[in-house]
Amino acid sequence: MASIRRTLSPPYHDRHYQNGETPVPAPFPAQKPFAASAKPSSAPPGLGVHRFLAFVLLGKQPRRSWRRSLYRCLLCFLFGFLFGMTPFGHVNELQAHDFSLDIKPSNVNVNARLENAIDHPVRHDEFLHKSSNLEVGAEARANSDGSSDLVPRKQLIVVTPTYSRAAQAYFLNRLGQVLRLVPPPLLWIVVETNVVSMETADILRKSGVMYRHLVCTKNSTDIKDRGVHQRNTALEHIEHHKLDGIVYFADDDNIYSLELFHSLRQIRRFGTWPIAMLAQSKNKATLEGPVCNGSQVIGWHTNEKSKRLRRFHVDMSGFAINSTILWDPKRWRRLTAHPIRQLDTVKEGFQETTFIEQVVEDESQMEGIPFGCSRIINWHLHLGAHNLIYPKGWLFDKNLEVDLTVT
């Protein structure tokens, strides 16, 4: 007869527990270790893979601290760095010319460009824009060591005194069109007497040139003295605002070439050049200005016997100065800090030389432009009609008399 045996349950201690606690079963007896022939584990029990690596590398089980994280990060960084630097497969060796920073121009079909230029001519303003960009590129390559540092252009400060007369609009528009062709930066300072006229302001707004419209409040009936006070007003403005650039007195009735304004940017302190002048009698032309050996001034051109007493034989539009001379005397080692101004107490024809004597000591501090002073780059013509009155607003109230009747 088969017998059925029930597995014995772990013994419980038959005792009462306070507060209704549940009796806890007794643990099983500890198992006996394996036979002595079994090899113990080489790592402490309960270690993972990363703990095993740390145990092998460090020789002991790491403590639970910040050093553990630091060692792990350093180990991963070193492993990743070595893995990234290891070359896999064949890598082509790069030649030195493969890393050239020079921009190689693409192949250009010259015939196609010429045909396109004929079919689509370039406008004049586009040509000027491209020409100014080419000039900037040439200045950027000015250094002989091949560096591409951009050399900024000097600012030109053109001072123009003006007054109301019959040909004022013609003169201002003509000068404004010339200044518009000059590459920037350029500042046109126009000075009027007593009040700002709406006609002049309208011409300046339409000129397309950066300008400042000033007013000279000092009254003067003489035309020559009026120009002196107007120029002094501009000099005070430049000195007060410490404008940096080349100051040039450009009367509105003179004729200027673009080469003149390009040459002005070569001046360091004081520059001068010869001028072709039409005599007051309108029957002959004279030459006035420096005689140069290269850029060194060695003499003067003059045909006026009454002007031989002057120290420097220069016309008002025949020289230009660095504006820092006006407001930075220490830079130029000036002996006095007295403001540099034009004088209205001297005779006519001596205002230029008395002004220049405040700027330079002798011809050794002058620069002749262009090189050799061999070309005429501006003209002084006495063509103004002083007795004619310009129409209000440049508009006629009524039509002029008819000379020829339309039939």
Side-chain angles (χ1 to χ4, degrees):
M1 184 174 178
S3 61
I4 299 175
R5 294 184 179 181
R6 181 179 295 175
T7 306
L8 296 178
S9 300
Y12 287 86
H13 297 282
D14 294 332
R15 64 172 182 172
H16 300 283
Y17 293 89
Q18 297 179 357
N19 300 329
E21 294 180 354
T22 306
V24 180
F28 289 102
Q31 297 180 357
K32 294 181 180 181
F34 293 103
S37 61
K39 296 182 179 180
S41 175
S42 60
L47 290 178
V49 177
H50 63 279
R51 291 192 178 185
F52 175 75
L53 293 175
F55 177 78
V56 172
L57 295 176
L58 301 178
K60 60 180 180 179
Q61 185 176 359
R63 298 181 179 179
R64 296 179 178 271
S65 63
W66 60 272
R67 296 182 180 178
R68 170 186 172 185
S69 301
L70 179 61
Y71 293 150
R72 184 184 301 174
C73 292
L74 293 177
L75 181 62
C76 294
F77 175 78
L78 180 62
F79 179 75
F81 179 77
L82 295 177
F83 182 80
M85 295 297 295
T86 303
F88 295 94
H90 178 69
V91 180
N92 295 328
E93 295 182 359
L94 299 178
Q95 301 296 331
H97 59 79
D98 294 335
F99 285 95
S100 177
L101 298 179
D102 298 334
I103 301 177
K104 298 180 180 180
S106 58
N107 297 328
V108 179
N109 190 345
V110 180
N111 296 328
R113 286 289 184 89
L114 293 176
E115 294 176 359
N116 188 23
I118 296 174
D119 297 337
H120 305 282
V122 182
R123 295 185 304 173
H124 184 64
D125 53 353
E126 295 179 356
F127 171 76
L128 293 175
H129 179 70
K130 294 180 180 179
S131 300
S132 61
N133 292 338
L134 292 176
E135 184 176 348
V136 173
E139 292 178 354
R141 297 186 297 271
N143 296 335
S144 59
D145 56 354
S147 60
S148 59
D149 296 334
L150 179 63
V151 180
R153 299 191 190 98
K154 290 183 181 179
Q155 180 177 228
L156 300 182
I157 306 174
V158 181
V159 177
T160 301
T162 185
Y163 60 97
S164 300
R165 59 193 188 279
Q168 182 188 18
Y170 164 69
F171 290 146
L172 287 178
N173 278 295
R174 183 180 63 181
L175 179 56
Q177 293 299 320
V178 175
L179 297 180
R180 186 177 182 179
L181 302 178
V182 180
L186 184 144
L187 176 62
W188 190 16
I189 300 180
V190 179
V191 188
E192 287 191 291
T193 304
N194 297 331
V195 294
V196 174
S197 64
M198 298 301 297
E199 293 80 10
T200 303
D202 183 64
I203 293 175
L204 296 179
R205 281 194 299 267
K206 296 178 180 179
S207 65
V209 181
M210 183 174 63
Y211 71 93
R212 295 187 184 183
H213 198 177
L214 306 182
V215 176
C216 177
T217 57
K218 190 170 183 178
N219 296 326
S220 179
T221 56
D222 185 65
I223 297 177
K224 203 69 176 181
D225 291 342
R226 178 173 53 193
V228 170
H229 298 320
Q230 289 174 318
R231 296 186 190 96
N232 287 338
T233 300
L235 293 176
E236 293 174 0
H237 181 83
I238 296 171
E239 181 180 353
H240 176 72
H241 295 280
K242 291 182 172 53
L243 301 180
D244 190 4
I246 302 299
V247 180
Y248 177 52
F249 300 111
D251 294 340
D252 55 3
D253 57 346
N254 292 351
I255 299 176
Y256 308 93
S257 64
L258 284 178
E259 183 183 0
L260 167 64
F261 296 98
H262 289 291
S263 302
L264 291 178
R265 291 194 165 101
Q266 304 173 7
I267 297 175
R268 295 185 298 272
R269 176 170 182 165
F270 181 93
T272 182
W273 53 92
I275 295 179
M277 304 178 62
L278 183 64
Q280 296 286 350
S281 59
K282 308 294 189 301
N283 59 358
K284 66 175 181 179
T286 61
L287 184 64
E288 188 174 49
V291 179
C292 302
N293 182 12
S295 60
Q296 181 183 4
V297 178
I298 59 175
W300 302 96
H301 290 291
T302 180
N303 293 324
E304 299 281 344
K305 293 183 179 180
S306 61
K307 295 182 179 180
R308 291 181 181 178
L309 298 177
R310 295 189 303 173
R311 175 65 180 86
F312 303 110
H313 301 270
V314 185
D315 186 72
M316 187 63 69
S317 59
F319 67 91
I321 65 173
N322 194 315
S323 64
T324 57
I325 299 177
L326 303 175
W327 48 267
D328 193 2
K330 294 182 179 180
R331 175 181 176 182
W332 303 100
R333 298 179 181 178
R334 287 175 49 200
L335 300 179
T336 176
H338 191 271
I340 298 177
R341 298 291 185 269
Q342 293 188 7
L343 305 179
D344 59 348
T345 57
V346 297
K347 296 181 180 180
E348 182 180 355
F350 287 83
Q351 292 152 344
E352 295 88 351
T353 183
T354 54
F355 177 81
I356 296 174
E357 290 173 3
Q358 304 175 59
V359 179
V360 297
E361 297 178 358
D362 52 25
E363 285 81 359
S364 62
Q365 298 178 347
M366 296 183 178
E367 309 162 43
I369 59 171
F371 186 81
C373 301
S374 57
R375 292 191 302 277
I376 303 300
I377 50 181
N378 75 312
W379 297 261
H380 188 179
L381 307 179
H382 303 277
L383 300 178
H386 303 292
N387 298 326
L388 300 179
I389 305 300
Y390 77 106
K392 185 69 174 178
W394 304 110
L395 299 174
F396 293 103
D397 296 335
K398 57 182 179 180
N399 294 330
L400 299 177
E401 296 180 1
V402 178
D403 295 331
L404 296 176
T405 304
V406 178
T407 56

